Amino acid sequence: MNHLTRNRFLLAAAISVSLALGGCAATPESPEGATEVRNKLNALKNDPDLANRTRVELRAAEQAVELAEKPLPAEQSDLGEHRVYMADRKVEIARARATALHAEAQRERLSQERDEARLAARTSEVERAREDARSARDEAEAARTSETESAATAAAERQRMAEETQRMAEEMQQEMDDLKAEVTDRGLVLTLGDVLFATGSADLQSGANSNLDKLVTFLNEHPERKVLVEGHTDNVGGEELNQRLSRQRAEAVRNYLTEKGIAAERLSAEGIGMDRPVADNSTRTGRQQNRRVEIIIGNTQSAPAAGGSR
Amino acid sequence: MNQLSMDKVSQRVRLYSSLFLMLFLLGACASPPPVPPNDALLAARDAIVTAEQSGARQFAGSELDEARQQLSKAEEAVSNENMELAERHAYQARVSAELAAAKTEASKAVAINREMKEGAEALTEEMRRKGEQQ
């Protein structure tokens, strides 16, 4: 009798346990959409331009896809949906990141092409000026020999003008070299390093002035050019502080230029903060390169565009 | 008599232990206690702000909208005390916002390249024309 009740009890317990477990795991199946996400990931991995660019994001995507592929019982289809959603987005993130890195890798080549085009343009301009000067000189000679007085003066005038153009082209180049300015798509960019300012201060240090005075000379000689002064910082000390400091520094440079007689309406100042580093903020030299003031001199009469590349 | 009471006791023990076992097993299936998934919600909001600041409104509008919708679904689930669902939506909001930011960066990078390419081509073209004029 005792034996019988025990057997019955064991049977009941076994049934209840198996029922309870059954609640957790019914016939498992891979969630809907998991295959598509896997295909998407494989397509990204097989893209020769994009594969091998983003190790971190790709690994995160791989893990998410593996999780999404895990079989789940039918009652948990919403969890499966969630996992597929996450995996899909992570694959997309990896693709976007890879696209950005691919574009950056291409940029070096593009910038080289642009420099070559610029160099070719400048060379041919100088060539042309020289050519003009030579032909004007020849004409002047010819006119002199034929003793046509007026033609000679006209030719001499042309020669003088052609030589002037050539001289101006060369002078311009020289001035740009003096300023150590860089030609970019935003205009001439002159970068002043962080030696201009003491740490955390927006007051100009006196050593900075020689470089700035060269800029003043340049601006006085080219009164049609407008200038944008941009302050940049490294990432030490928080966004808000850096934003403020960079603006104050840009304004300090602008004030200096106004004091030296550059019309205020030609100048604008902007604080960029830590948003546009040119070097790695994790090293000391990188941070020093990022603490800078950029002076963008417009190519034409229009003001230089804020924002721009980088 | 003594034998009988011993049997009764051991039956009780079995009953309680089997009840306890069932409760424990059921507990393994039950949802977590209703505490809002604050970390996940915070991370989602942060990610949305970051995406907005990077300019996602312009470059990845639909992804940003999706992130916002997921966040409001998460908030709705919190007010319905369905915290598991809230957490899922919060995660989905975050990943969508991160995608918006990533797409924005990619679009910007591609746009810069296009500009650079066009600039170089325009310059070459201009030089070619000037050369022809001479």
Side-chain angles (χ1 to χ4, degrees):
Chain A
M1 171 65 195
N2 204 356
H3 206 69
L4 199 73
T5 49
R6 186 188 288 172
N7 272 352
R8 252 189 220 155
F9 166 77
L10 277 175
L11 189 68
I15 288 172
S16 67
V17 166
S18 72
L19 267 178
L21 279 174
C24 283
T27 48
E29 223 173 277
S30 242
E32 201 179 322
T35 325
E36 282 86 343
V37 181
R38 168 60 70 187
N39 290 342
K40 229 171 161 179
L41 178 61
N42 285 343
L44 174 59
K45 280 182 178 169
N46 291 330
D47 191 324
D49 283 345
L50 302 182
N52 304 322
R53 289 204 185 271
T54 58
R55 227 164 269 158
V56 179
E57 284 84 356
L58 213 53
R59 199 180 311 132
E62 177 71 56
Q63 280 168 358
V65 171
E66 273 167 20
L67 186 63
E69 282 173 332
K70 277 215 177 115
L72 282 174
E75 312 86 83
Q76 286 188 292
S77 67
D78 53 341
L79 176 60
E81 230 172 81
H82 169 65
R83 287 176 175 172
V84 169
Y85 185 106
M86 298 298 286
D88 180 73
R89 287 345 184 248
K90 294 210 165 161
V91 174
E92 292 268 344
I93 288 173
R95 172 173 286 277
R97 183 87 190 109
T99 309
L101 289 173
H102 176 56
E104 271 167 34
Q106 279 187 319
R107 203 164 298 154
E108 202 170 320
R109 190 176 53 73
L110 282 173
S111 132
Q112 220 168 12
E113 272 172 23
R114 194 175 54 172
D115 287 350
E116 274 162 20
R118 261 202 199 107
L119 187 66
R122 192 164 299 134
T123 315
S124 78
E125 248 164 43
V126 172
E127 276 302 309
R128 207 166 300 136
R130 265 188 211 131
E131 187 60 37
D132 282 356
R134 197 169 29 235
S135 70
R137 203 157 42 227
D138 291 350
E139 271 179 53
E141 297 270 315
R144 217 170 289 133
T145 46
S146 72
E147 294 187 9
T148 318
E149 194 69 22
S150 61
T153 11
E157 176 68 10
R158 262 204 304 286
Q159 177 186 358
R160 201 187 57 71
M161 277 179 69
E163 274 165 0
E164 177 81 353
T165 325
Q166 182 185 355
R167 194 183 56 74
M168 271 170 72
E170 278 162 8
E171 230 170 55
M172 180 84 175
Q173 185 60 44
Q174 186 58 43
E175 280 169 4
M176 275 158 51
D177 291 348
D178 280 353
L179 281 169
K180 294 191 184 62
E182 193 188 340
V183 188
T184 74
D185 48 350
R186 306 166 64 191
L188 295 178
V189 174
L190 169 63
T191 304
L192 304 172
D194 74 331
V195 285
L196 287 185
F197 302 96
T199 309
S201 150
D203 292 331
L204 274 177
Q205 287 182 348
S206 51
N209 297 358
S210 74
N211 223 351
L212 281 176
D213 288 340
K214 273 188 213 156
L215 178 66
V216 171
T217 319
F218 182 87
L219 290 177
N220 281 330
E221 280 168 16
H222 302 275
E224 78 287 356
R225 291 187 175 226
K226 293 194 175 179
V227 169
L228 170 65
V229 184
E230 279 182 358
H232 297 264
T233 65
D234 56 27
N235 65 351
V236 178
E239 198 162 329
E240 206 178 315
L241 172 90
N242 280 319
Q243 179 65 38
R244 197 173 57 236
L245 185 62
S246 68
R247 201 190 58 244
Q248 285 168 347
R249 288 181 165 185
E251 277 167 1
V253 172
R254 184 185 59 184
N255 292 343
Y256 181 84
L257 295 177
T258 355
E259 273 168 31
K260 291 284 168 178
I262 307 295
E265 59 267 23
R266 291 173 63 195
L267 305 169
S268 45
E270 205 182 327
I272 306 293
M274 53 199 233
D275 288 345
R276 235 184 284 151
V278 291
D280 189 359
N281 264 321
S282 62
T283 66
R284 212 163 58 90
T285 41
R287 283 195 297 276
Q288 184 174 22
Q289 280 174 282
N290 287 335
R291 295 190 296 268
R292 68 203 191 274
V293 170
E294 284 184 0
I295 291 167
I296 298 117
I297 305 164
N299 274 332
T300 53
Q301 296 200 351
S302 64
S309 64
R310 270 203 285 270
Chain B
M1 164 69 190
N2 199 5
Q3 179 63 40
L4 198 79
S5 82
M6 273 299 282
D7 251 9
K8 243 188 186 165
V9 166
S10 73
Q11 228 169 355
R12 278 262 165 86
V13 167
R14 275 189 203 138
L15 182 68
Y16 283 138
S17 63
S18 76
L19 270 175
F20 181 78
L21 185 69
M22 277 183 67
L23 270 177
F24 180 78
L25 285 169
L26 280 175
C29 286
S31 49
V35 178
N38 290 320
D39 287 350
L41 287 166
L42 201 65
R45 288 190 194 109
D46 271 359
I48 289 176
V49 170
T50 308
E52 276 174 344
Q53 280 173 351
S54 77
R57 210 186 299 269
Q58 187 189 346
F59 291 98
S62 64
E63 285 79 7
L64 189 62
D65 284 347
E66 170 69 14
R68 286 217 196 83
Q69 270 175 26
Q70 291 292 337
L71 181 62
S72 64
K73 278 185 191 166
E75 279 158 355
E76 198 185 309
V78 169
S79 60
N80 292 334
E81 296 207 339
N82 188 344
M83 299 313 172
E84 201 183 341
L85 187 66
E87 189 171 46
R88 278 181 199 165
H89 281 306
Y91 285 148
Q92 291 180 182
R94 179 182 172 185
V95 82
S96 293
E98 282 170 355
L99 175 58
K103 279 205 166 172
T104 301
E105 292 310 315
S107 302
K108 281 185 187 168
V110 170
I112 290 172
N113 284 19
R114 198 173 47 234
E115 267 171 36
M116 284 178 78
K117 210 171 165 189
E118 282 168 3
E121 278 167 3
L123 204 55
T124 315
E125 177 68 5
E126 197 185 309
M127 283 303 115
R128 199 180 56 73
R129 286 221 194 99
K130 271 194 186 163
E132 275 173 5
Q133 273 173 13
Q134 277 219 320

